[in-house]
Amino acid sequence: MPLRLATQVTGTFVALAALASWSVADAQDDAAALQTAVLAGSCANCHGTDGHSPGAIPSLAGKKEEDLLKALTAFKQGKAKVTVMTRLAKGYTDEQLAALAHYFATRE
Amino acid sequence: MTTRRSFLSLAGAGLALPWLPRPARAQAKAGRVIIIGGGFGGATAAHYLRRYDPQLEVTLVEPAANFVTCPFSNAVIGGLRDLASITHGYGGLERMGVRMARLAAEAVDPAGRTVRLAGGETLPYDRLILAPGIDIRWNGVEGYGPEAAERAPHAWKGGPQTALLRRQLEAMEDGGTVIIAVPASPFRCPPGPYERASLIAHFLKTSKAKSKILILDSNEEFSKQKLFMQAWEALYPGMIEWVPASQDGKVVRVDAASLTVETEFGTKHKAAVLNLIPPQTAGRIAVDSGLTNEAGWVPVTARTFEAAKAPGVHVVGDAAVASPMPKSAFCANAQAKVVAATVVAALRGLPAPEPSWANTCYSLLAPDYGISVAGVYRLEGDAVKAVEGAGGVSPLDAPPAFRREEAKFAVGWYQAITQDTFAG
Ligand SMILES: Cc1cc2nc3c(=O)[nH]c(=O)nc-3n(C[C@H](O)[C@H](O)[C@H](O)COP(=O)(O)OP(=O)(O)OC[C@H]3O[C@@H](n4cnc5c(N)ncnc54)[C@H](O)[C@@H]3O)c2cc1C
């Protein structure tokens, strides 16, 4: 929906007030959004809510999507010398890792 | 799964933003969610319900003004931190619009959908989330009741018990034996007793070097065992003795007055400081509400974590039977987020999201020595399953720099999870 794109661009919800009608497509979007949020929920436990880390574990929010995905892929393939992410990334499909990279890249 | 068009992922900062389309919100009936228990499970659920859907009326029932965490309480017991540094308030959640009911819940009526608070007030709900943590099974070890716990602290709930055990260790004379008695699994925080032994050893090594620690265990093996034993040999040689059940480690009786324990085959041990970790059950409200099994825990439907005996009542955290997920703060937090999304979906008429959970338990063995065990979990059929090939423990052959990194990340984890749980 065009108005959703407006939301995407501005990053605010002001545009929502102009939403004319609610449709099945919106419900599908909401369900998908909830699904990604569920997937990302376990990451917040270490990386902070929405990837804003208050401590020593790196923040993820707003990092470049391709960098995040590259890191996650390297973790999954066991190519990175790290402490815990290799063990965790192996638990997700490539599609899930892509969704996670997109999710955290789009947090402000 | 496609997320490209999803609203939440397109939106920027997610804090307390009404991400559901307005017309949908206008159409939806008001949702009232009550959460019982403001620990890792309950506080996280309150936080995420409000994040996902700020239209929801979310009430958190918790009698305590502050929450003292068990995570990092072993660091307090070992003298590395003070109690204030592991104490958290509910101000962040209140700013998120969570309503606090500062009383204990006394009874739940799943059929009538109400919760009765201490004092008699009754609150109606559309969905209930129960996160009462554990209660001690008094007399599960003969002679161990609330009075005995004042002499022989369990310190398995954060707060005064934590402070008491710390004071006893400070007052103990050099050369004494600290006994840690471990109950049979399942119990809250599988690596907890061994992390505690490590940090007590760290304290004793630096200030009372002739003292010893005796772990009397009701089990045959324990979490991250090889890593712990390797570290004990390197860091605290000769200080920690571990006795498994088969070698008469199971404590069955205690005399708190003389700080003496008796094991299954009749051996008596006298302690200078006795940390008796007793058998546990789900928090009393879950037991009193008839939700528990014979072992005292709440069986749940894996997809929604609704109590098998009371659909509509979601149970998260230590109280629930969620094996192979351990009873950890990490899992309580992870389960609560899935349940928050599940509840929002149900109240909005959306399909229930597919669950995804994870766990990582860090243990600190010394200030600069950390280890971890991790797991990723998903729903398979109607059961929780660990994703194969993922997770596992820290490598056994890692250099000191690796242990230092994990010690640093353990602290980072604590900061992140407490922020994520208490919204600030
Ligand atoms: C020594 C120790 C170290 C630990 N270290 C770690 C660690 O490093 N990492 C980790 O992941 N986990 C750790 N844990 C485990 C962790 O503490 C628990 O798994 C976690 O607290 C479980 O969360 P919960 O929400 O189920 O219960 P809790 O966090 O205990 O919260 C329960 C809350 O419910 C409230 N409540 C109970 N009954 C009622 C009622 N009737 N009405 C209203 N409120 C009620 C209580 O007051 C309490 O605030 C540790 C545990 C111990 C003992």
Side-chain angles (χ1 to χ4, degrees):
Chain A
M1 282 180 88
L3 284 167
R4 286 179 174 258
L5 289 177
T7 309
Q8 178 188 18
V9 170
T10 60
T12 76
F13 286 82
V14 180
L16 276 179
L19 257 183
S21 67
W22 185 75
S23 66
V24 173
D26 293 322
Q28 281 171 353
D29 282 357
D30 289 335
L34 212 45
Q35 184 63 66
T36 312
V38 162
L39 206 54
S42 302
C43 317
N45 208 314
C46 283
H47 287 282
T49 306
D50 268 348
H52 296 283
S53 170
I57 296 177
S59 275
L60 303 178
K63 288 199 168 156
K64 272 211 210 124
E65 184 171 342
E66 54 176 297
D67 291 350
L68 290 172
L69 187 56
K70 227 199 281 174
L72 287 168
T73 308
F75 294 149
K76 185 175 175 180
Q77 294 170 346
K79 283 185 185 153
K81 279 217 158 107
V82 295
T83 57
V84 73
M85 280 309 299
T86 40
R87 288 179 266 157
L88 290 167
K90 289 187 176 109
Y92 299 89
T93 64
D94 293 347
E95 203 185 7
Q96 286 174 326
L97 293 182
L100 286 164
H102 180 73
Y103 178 87
F104 285 111
T106 48
R107 300 305 94 189
E108 268 174 6
Chain B
M1 188 191 57
T2 146
T3 54
R4 292 286 173 265
R5 292 163 59 242
S6 76
F7 190 76
L8 197 63
S9 56
L10 294 180
L15 194 77
L17 293 175
W19 60 271
L20 283 163
R22 296 225 164 169
R25 283 187 279 119
Q27 281 159 15
K29 60 180 159 57
R32 293 163 305 181
V33 185
I34 294 182
I35 302 153
I36 297 177
F40 281 98
T44 303
H47 180 191
Y48 274 77
L49 282 165
R50 292 286 302 171
R51 287 177 68 78
Y52 289 154
D53 190 349
Q55 298 299 110
L56 285 182
E57 192 183 299
V58 177
T59 305
L60 180 57
V61 182
E62 166 64 60
N66 293 300
F67 184 78
V68 182
T69 66
C70 283
F72 275 77
S73 68
N74 286 333
V76 173
I77 289 163
L80 303 175
R81 274 180 179 248
D82 60 18
L83 213 56
S85 75
I86 59 165
T87 303
H88 302 267
Y90 296 101
L93 291 175
E94 283 180 307
R95 283 189 290 280
M96 294 276 308
V98 173
R99 297 160 28 144
M100 296 298 300
R102 299 184 183 279
L103 292 164
E106 269 186 358
V108 170
D109 173 8
R113 297 191 176 222
T114 58
V115 171
R116 195 180 75 233
L117 304 180
E121 194 187 344
T122 297
L123 303 179
Y125 65 78
D126 297 310
R127 289 270 162 169
L128 177 65
I129 300 175
L130 202 54
I134 58 154
D135 257 304
I136 306 301
R137 191 189 278 282
W138 296 118
N139 232 29
V141 167
E142 196 185 318
Y144 197 71
E147 267 176 42
E150 295 304 314
R151 282 279 292 151
H154 53 77
W156 223 238
K157 291 185 176 189
Q161 280 276 309
T162 313
L164 176 60
L165 182 53
R166 174 65 196 158
R167 280 200 307 276
Q168 291 185 345
L169 288 166
E170 280 173 337
M172 186 180 92
E173 277 178 31
D174 193 5
T177 300
V178 178
I179 293 182
I180 301 176
V182 184
S185 295
F187 56 86
R188 154 177 286 184
C189 194
Y194 316 97
E195 179 189 62
R196 177 170 292 175
S198 310
L199 292 182
I200 291 177
H202 173 76
F203 168 65
L204 296 176
K205 183 183 170 182
T206 41
S207 64
K208 304 175 194 213
K210 286 183 287 186
S211 311
K212 295 238 178 310
I213 298 168
L214 177 63
I215 306 175
L216 297 173
D217 207 322
S218 303
N219 303 284
E220 279 307 296
E221 52 184 19
F222 60 89
S223 170
K224 296 178 266 192
Q225 183 166 351
K226 282 189 184 146
L227 285 162
F228 271 110
M229 294 207 153
Q230 181 191 56
W232 290 346
E233 227 175 277
L235 302 171
Y236 314 116
M239 276 189 88
I240 303 176
E241 185 188 351
W242 174 70
V243 185
S246 59
Q247 287 169 44
D248 202 18
K250 184 180 162 88
V251 169
V252 294
R253 206 164 289 122
V254 59
D255 177 40
S258 64
L259 296 182
T260 306
V261 292
E262 191 179 329
T263 50
E264 199 174 12
F265 308 140
T267 314
K268 287 190 176 165
H269 301 269
K270 189 169 161 36
V273 170
L274 176 56
N275 172 212
L276 200 132
I277 305 169
Q280 300 141 36
T281 66
R284 237 208 12 249
I285 183 94
V287 180
D288 291 350
S289 306
L291 303 181
T292 48
N293 61 16
E294 273 174 17
W297 307 103
V298 184
V300 295
T301 309
R303 177 178 284 279
T304 63
F305 272 61
E306 280 166 277
K309 295 179 182 172
V313 178
H314 303 263
V315 182
V316 296
D318 288 354
V321 178
S323 168
M325 278 189 270
K327 296 188 187 303
S328 70
F330 195 120
C331 283
N333 169 288
Q335 291 159 10
K337 284 183 255 194
V338 176
V339 162
T342 303
V343 164
V344 167
L347 291 173
R348 295 291 174 189
L350 300 170
E354 192 64 22
S356 169
W357 307 276
N359 177 59
T360 302
C361 286
Y362 283 106
S363 297
L364 214 53
L365 281 62
D368 59 355
Y369 196 114
I371 59 175
S372 62
V373 56
V376 181
Y377 305 91
R378 66 175 176 219
L379 191 70
E380 272 179 45
D382 53 6
V384 179
K385 285 276 156 64
V387 179
E388 257 180 69
V393 298
S394 310
L396 203 56
D397 56 0
F402 194 99
R403 308 289 186 229
R404 262 200 306 279
E405 279 287 288
E406 289 219 273
K408 191 180 82 187
F409 289 143
V411 177
W413 165 80
Y414 183 77
Q415 289 171 287
I417 191 178
T418 50
Q419 174 223 52
D420 193 48
T421 299
F422 297 102

